[in-house]
Short mmCIF file of all heavy atoms in Angstrom, two decimals:
data_model
loop_
_atom_site.label_atom_id
_atom_site.label_comp_id
_atom_site.label_asym_id
_atom_site.label_seq_id
_atom_site.Cartn_x
_atom_site.Cartn_y
_atom_site.Cartn_z
N GLU A 1 4.23 22.99 2.79
CA GLU A 1 4.38 23.11 4.24
C GLU A 1 3.14 22.60 4.97
O GLU A 1 3.24 21.93 6.01
CB GLU A 1 4.64 24.57 4.61
CG GLU A 1 5.98 25.10 4.14
CD GLU A 1 6.22 26.53 4.57
OE1 GLU A 1 6.53 26.74 5.75
OE2 GLU A 1 6.05 27.44 3.73
N ALA A 2 1.96 22.91 4.43
CA ALA A 2 0.73 22.48 5.06
C ALA A 2 0.61 20.96 5.06
O ALA A 2 0.21 20.36 6.06
CB ALA A 2 -0.47 23.10 4.34
N SER A 3 0.97 20.33 3.95
CA SER A 3 0.93 18.87 3.89
C SER A 3 1.87 18.27 4.92
O SER A 3 1.55 17.25 5.55
CB SER A 3 1.31 18.39 2.49
OG SER A 3 0.34 18.77 1.54
N GLY A 4 3.04 18.90 5.12
CA GLY A 4 3.99 18.42 6.12
C GLY A 4 3.41 18.48 7.52
O GLY A 4 3.58 17.55 8.32
N ILE A 5 2.68 19.56 7.84
CA ILE A 5 2.07 19.68 9.15
C ILE A 5 0.98 18.63 9.34
O ILE A 5 0.89 17.98 10.40
CB ILE A 5 1.47 21.10 9.34
CG1 ILE A 5 2.60 22.13 9.43
CG2 ILE A 5 0.59 21.16 10.59
CD1 ILE A 5 2.12 23.58 9.49
N VAL A 6 0.17 18.41 8.30
CA VAL A 6 -0.90 17.42 8.39
C VAL A 6 -0.33 16.02 8.59
O VAL A 6 -0.87 15.22 9.37
CB VAL A 6 -1.80 17.46 7.13
CG1 VAL A 6 -2.80 16.30 7.15
CG2 VAL A 6 -2.54 18.79 7.05
N ILE A 7 0.78 15.73 7.94
CA ILE A 7 1.42 14.42 8.11
C ILE A 7 1.91 14.25 9.54
O ILE A 7 1.81 13.17 10.13
CB ILE A 7 2.57 14.25 7.09
CG1 ILE A 7 1.98 14.08 5.68
CG2 ILE A 7 3.43 13.03 7.44
CD1 ILE A 7 3.00 14.14 4.57
N GLN A 8 2.43 15.34 10.14
CA GLN A 8 2.83 15.28 11.55
C GLN A 8 1.62 15.01 12.45
O GLN A 8 1.70 14.22 13.40
CB GLN A 8 3.48 16.60 11.97
CG GLN A 8 4.84 16.85 11.35
CD GLN A 8 5.45 18.14 11.88
OE1 GLN A 8 5.73 18.27 13.07
NE2 GLN A 8 5.62 19.11 11.01
N VAL A 9 0.51 15.67 12.14
CA VAL A 9 -0.72 15.45 12.91
C VAL A 9 -1.16 14.00 12.79
O VAL A 9 -1.49 13.34 13.80
CB VAL A 9 -1.84 16.39 12.41
CG1 VAL A 9 -3.20 15.99 13.01
CG2 VAL A 9 -1.53 17.85 12.76
N LEU A 10 -1.16 13.48 11.57
CA LEU A 10 -1.58 12.10 11.35
C LEU A 10 -0.69 11.12 12.09
O LEU A 10 -1.17 10.15 12.70
CB LEU A 10 -1.58 11.78 9.85
CG LEU A 10 -1.96 10.34 9.47
CD1 LEU A 10 -3.37 10.00 9.95
CD2 LEU A 10 -1.84 10.14 7.97
N SER A 11 0.62 11.35 12.07
CA SER A 11 1.53 10.44 12.75
C SER A 11 1.27 10.41 14.25
O SER A 11 1.32 9.35 14.90
CB SER A 11 2.99 10.83 12.47
OG SER A 11 3.33 12.06 13.08
N ARG A 12 0.96 11.57 14.84
CA ARG A 12 0.65 11.62 16.27
C ARG A 12 -0.69 10.93 16.58
O ARG A 12 -0.84 10.27 17.60
CB ARG A 12 0.63 13.08 16.75
CG ARG A 12 2.03 13.68 16.91
CD ARG A 12 1.98 15.19 17.06
NE ARG A 12 3.27 15.73 17.45
CZ ARG A 12 4.30 15.89 16.61
NH1 ARG A 12 4.19 15.51 15.33
NH2 ARG A 12 5.44 16.41 17.03
N LEU A 13 -1.64 11.11 15.69
CA LEU A 13 -2.93 10.45 15.87
C LEU A 13 -2.78 8.93 15.82
O LEU A 13 -3.36 8.21 16.63
CB LEU A 13 -3.92 10.92 14.79
CG LEU A 13 -4.45 12.35 14.93
CD1 LEU A 13 -5.22 12.75 13.68
CD2 LEU A 13 -5.34 12.49 16.16
N LEU A 14 -1.99 8.45 14.86
CA LEU A 14 -1.79 7.01 14.75
C LEU A 14 -1.01 6.46 15.94
O LEU A 14 -1.29 5.36 16.42
CB LEU A 14 -1.05 6.69 13.44
CG LEU A 14 -1.86 6.88 12.15
CD1 LEU A 14 -0.96 6.76 10.93
CD2 LEU A 14 -3.00 5.88 12.07
N ARG A 15 -0.05 7.23 16.44
CA ARG A 15 0.80 6.76 17.53
C ARG A 15 0.07 6.76 18.87
O ARG A 15 0.22 5.84 19.67
CB ARG A 15 2.05 7.63 17.61
CG ARG A 15 3.10 7.09 18.60
CD ARG A 15 4.32 8.00 18.68
NE ARG A 15 4.89 8.27 17.39
CZ ARG A 15 5.13 9.50 16.91
NH1 ARG A 15 4.82 10.55 17.63
NH2 ARG A 15 5.67 9.66 15.72
N HIS A 16 -0.76 7.80 19.10
CA HIS A 16 -1.32 7.98 20.43
C HIS A 16 -2.84 7.80 20.52
O HIS A 16 -3.38 7.68 21.64
CB HIS A 16 -0.97 9.37 20.96
CG HIS A 16 0.50 9.65 21.02
ND1 HIS A 16 1.34 9.00 21.92
CD2 HIS A 16 1.30 10.48 20.29
CE1 HIS A 16 2.59 9.45 21.74
NE2 HIS A 16 2.58 10.33 20.76
N PHE A 17 -3.54 7.81 19.40
CA PHE A 17 -5.00 7.79 19.45
C PHE A 17 -5.62 6.73 18.54
O PHE A 17 -6.78 6.85 18.17
CB PHE A 17 -5.56 9.18 19.07
CG PHE A 17 -5.12 10.27 20.00
CD1 PHE A 17 -3.98 11.01 19.73
CD2 PHE A 17 -5.85 10.56 21.14
CE1 PHE A 17 -3.57 12.02 20.59
CE2 PHE A 17 -5.45 11.56 22.01
CZ PHE A 17 -4.31 12.29 21.73
N SER A 18 -4.85 5.72 18.19
CA SER A 18 -5.40 4.70 17.30
C SER A 18 -5.41 3.34 17.98
O SER A 18 -4.69 3.10 18.95
CB SER A 18 -4.59 4.62 16.00
OG SER A 18 -3.31 4.07 16.23
N THR A 19 -6.24 2.46 17.45
CA THR A 19 -6.29 1.07 17.91
C THR A 19 -6.11 0.16 16.71
O THR A 19 -6.40 0.54 15.57
CB THR A 19 -7.65 0.77 18.58
OG1 THR A 19 -8.70 1.08 17.67
CG2 THR A 19 -7.82 1.57 19.85
N ASN A 20 -5.63 -1.03 16.97
CA ASN A 20 -5.47 -2.00 15.90
C ASN A 20 -6.83 -2.43 15.37
O ASN A 20 -7.79 -2.56 16.12
CB ASN A 20 -4.70 -3.23 16.39
CG ASN A 20 -3.25 -2.92 16.63
OD1 ASN A 20 -2.66 -2.09 15.96
ND2 ASN A 20 -2.65 -3.59 17.61
N TYR A 21 -6.87 -2.63 14.08
CA TYR A 21 -8.13 -2.99 13.42
C TYR A 21 -7.84 -4.09 12.42
O TYR A 21 -6.89 -4.00 11.63
CB TYR A 21 -8.70 -1.76 12.71
CG TYR A 21 -9.86 -2.04 11.78
CD1 TYR A 21 -11.12 -2.29 12.29
CD2 TYR A 21 -9.68 -2.03 10.40
CE1 TYR A 21 -12.20 -2.53 11.44
CE2 TYR A 21 -10.75 -2.27 9.55
CZ TYR A 21 -12.00 -2.52 10.07
OH TYR A 21 -13.05 -2.76 9.22
N ILE A 22 -8.64 -5.15 12.47
CA ILE A 22 -8.47 -6.24 11.50
C ILE A 22 -9.53 -6.06 10.43
O ILE A 22 -10.72 -6.36 10.64
CB ILE A 22 -8.63 -7.62 12.18
CG1 ILE A 22 -7.61 -7.76 13.31
CG2 ILE A 22 -8.46 -8.73 11.16
CD1 ILE A 22 -7.76 -9.04 14.10
N PRO A 23 -9.13 -5.54 9.26
CA PRO A 23 -10.12 -5.28 8.22
C PRO A 23 -10.62 -6.55 7.55
O PRO A 23 -9.94 -7.56 7.53
CB PRO A 23 -9.35 -4.41 7.21
CG PRO A 23 -7.93 -4.83 7.38
CD PRO A 23 -7.77 -5.20 8.84
N GLU A 24 -11.85 -6.46 7.04
CA GLU A 24 -12.34 -7.54 6.21
C GLU A 24 -11.60 -7.47 4.87
O GLU A 24 -10.88 -6.52 4.60
CB GLU A 24 -13.85 -7.37 6.01
CG GLU A 24 -14.63 -7.36 7.31
CD GLU A 24 -16.09 -7.03 7.10
OE1 GLU A 24 -16.50 -6.97 5.92
OE2 GLU A 24 -16.80 -6.85 8.09
N ASN A 25 -11.79 -8.49 4.05
CA ASN A 25 -11.09 -8.42 2.76
C ASN A 25 -11.67 -7.28 1.94
O ASN A 25 -12.77 -6.81 2.17
CB ASN A 25 -11.17 -9.76 2.01
CG ASN A 25 -12.59 -10.11 1.58
OD1 ASN A 25 -13.23 -9.34 0.88
ND2 ASN A 25 -13.07 -11.27 1.99
N SER A 26 -10.90 -6.84 0.95
CA SER A 26 -11.25 -5.63 0.20
C SER A 26 -12.59 -5.75 -0.51
O SER A 26 -13.33 -4.77 -0.63
CB SER A 26 -10.14 -5.31 -0.81
OG SER A 26 -9.94 -6.41 -1.69
N GLN A 27 -12.93 -6.95 -0.98
CA GLN A 27 -14.20 -7.14 -1.66
C GLN A 27 -15.37 -6.94 -0.70
O GLN A 27 -16.37 -6.30 -1.03
CB GLN A 27 -14.27 -8.53 -2.29
CG GLN A 27 -13.37 -8.70 -3.52
CD GLN A 27 -13.56 -10.05 -4.18
OE1 GLN A 27 -14.00 -11.00 -3.54
NE2 GLN A 27 -13.23 -10.13 -5.45
N GLN A 28 -15.23 -7.44 0.52
CA GLN A 28 -16.27 -7.25 1.52
C GLN A 28 -16.40 -5.78 1.91
O GLN A 28 -17.50 -5.26 2.08
CB GLN A 28 -15.98 -8.11 2.75
CG GLN A 28 -16.19 -9.60 2.53
CD GLN A 28 -15.81 -10.42 3.75
OE1 GLN A 28 -14.83 -10.12 4.43
NE2 GLN A 28 -16.57 -11.46 4.03
N ASP A 29 -15.25 -5.10 2.08
CA ASP A 29 -15.27 -3.68 2.42
C ASP A 29 -15.99 -2.88 1.33
O ASP A 29 -16.80 -2.01 1.62
CB ASP A 29 -13.85 -3.15 2.58
CG ASP A 29 -13.24 -3.57 3.91
OD1 ASP A 29 -14.00 -3.97 4.80
OD2 ASP A 29 -12.01 -3.52 4.04
N ALA A 30 -15.67 -3.15 0.08
CA ALA A 30 -16.29 -2.44 -1.04
C ALA A 30 -17.79 -2.71 -1.08
O ALA A 30 -18.59 -1.80 -1.34
CB ALA A 30 -15.64 -2.87 -2.36
N ALA A 31 -18.18 -3.95 -0.81
CA ALA A 31 -19.60 -4.30 -0.82
C ALA A 31 -20.34 -3.58 0.31
O ALA A 31 -21.48 -3.12 0.12
CB ALA A 31 -19.77 -5.81 -0.69
N THR A 32 -19.70 -3.48 1.48
CA THR A 32 -20.31 -2.78 2.61
C THR A 32 -20.55 -1.31 2.28
O THR A 32 -21.64 -0.77 2.51
CB THR A 32 -19.42 -2.89 3.86
OG1 THR A 32 -19.36 -4.26 4.26
CG2 THR A 32 -19.96 -2.05 5.00
N ILE A 33 -19.54 -0.66 1.74
CA ILE A 33 -19.66 0.75 1.38
C ILE A 33 -20.74 0.95 0.34
O ILE A 33 -21.54 1.90 0.41
CB ILE A 33 -18.30 1.29 0.88
CG1 ILE A 33 -17.30 1.35 2.04
CG2 ILE A 33 -18.46 2.67 0.26
CD1 ILE A 33 -15.89 1.69 1.63
N GLU A 34 -20.80 0.08 -0.65
CA GLU A 34 -21.81 0.20 -1.70
C GLU A 34 -23.21 0.01 -1.13
O GLU A 34 -24.15 0.72 -1.51
CB GLU A 34 -21.54 -0.83 -2.80
CG GLU A 34 -22.43 -0.66 -4.03
CD GLU A 34 -22.34 0.73 -4.64
OE1 GLU A 34 -21.23 1.32 -4.64
OE2 GLU A 34 -23.39 1.25 -5.08
N ARG A 35 -23.37 -0.93 -0.21
CA ARG A 35 -24.68 -1.13 0.42
C ARG A 35 -25.10 0.11 1.21
O ARG A 35 -26.25 0.55 1.13
CB ARG A 35 -24.63 -2.34 1.37
CG ARG A 35 -24.78 -3.68 0.68
CD ARG A 35 -24.72 -4.80 1.69
NE ARG A 35 -25.23 -6.05 1.15
CZ ARG A 35 -25.34 -7.19 1.84
NH1 ARG A 35 -24.94 -7.21 3.11
NH2 ARG A 35 -25.84 -8.27 1.29
#
């Protein structure tokens, strides 16, 4: 039940409080995090 509620929260956050983001390729993302 808790996971279901969190998924509802996430869906509302994505629908009303998110912006589009163009990610770098996965290798660049991994390198950034490691740095």
Side-chain angles (χ1 to χ4, degrees):
E1 292 182 77
S3 293
I5 291 175
V6 173
I7 289 170
Q8 290 183 64
V9 169
L10 178 60
S11 68
R12 284 167 170 76
L13 287 170
L14 289 171
R15 188 181 307 126
H16 302 291
F17 298 92
S18 70
T19 56
N20 289 328
Y21 169 76
I22 302 176
E24 301 173 8
N25 67 56
S26 58
Q27 288 185 337
Q28 288 177 322
D29 284 342
T32 295
I33 291 172
E34 188 56 37
R35 278 180 164 182

